[in-house]
């Protein structure tokens, strides 16, 4: 039995359209958290 030679899949260029960057993701989590801390801190 003969197997075809293994070839890795061709690399597709990654499109960033529609993908959320890690920085945007962190900011979306961090900003509401900071607002909650400021709103809830004892006066």
């Amino acid at each position: 039995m003969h197997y075809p030679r293994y070839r890795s899949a061709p690399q597709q260029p990654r499109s960033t359209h529609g993908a959320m960057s890690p920085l945007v993701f962190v900011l979306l989590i961090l900003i509401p958290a900071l607002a909650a801390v400021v709103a809830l801190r004892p006066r």
Side-chain angles (χ1 to χ4, degrees), residues 19-34:
M20 197 184 317
S21 73
L23 178 64
V24 173
F25 186 73
V26 167
L27 288 176
L28 284 175
I29 300 298
L30 196 62
I31 291 172
L34 287 176

Side-chain angles (χ1 to χ4, degrees), residues 14-22 24:
R14 244 197 256 195
S15 89
T16 56
H17 182 68
M20 197 184 317
S21 73
V24 173

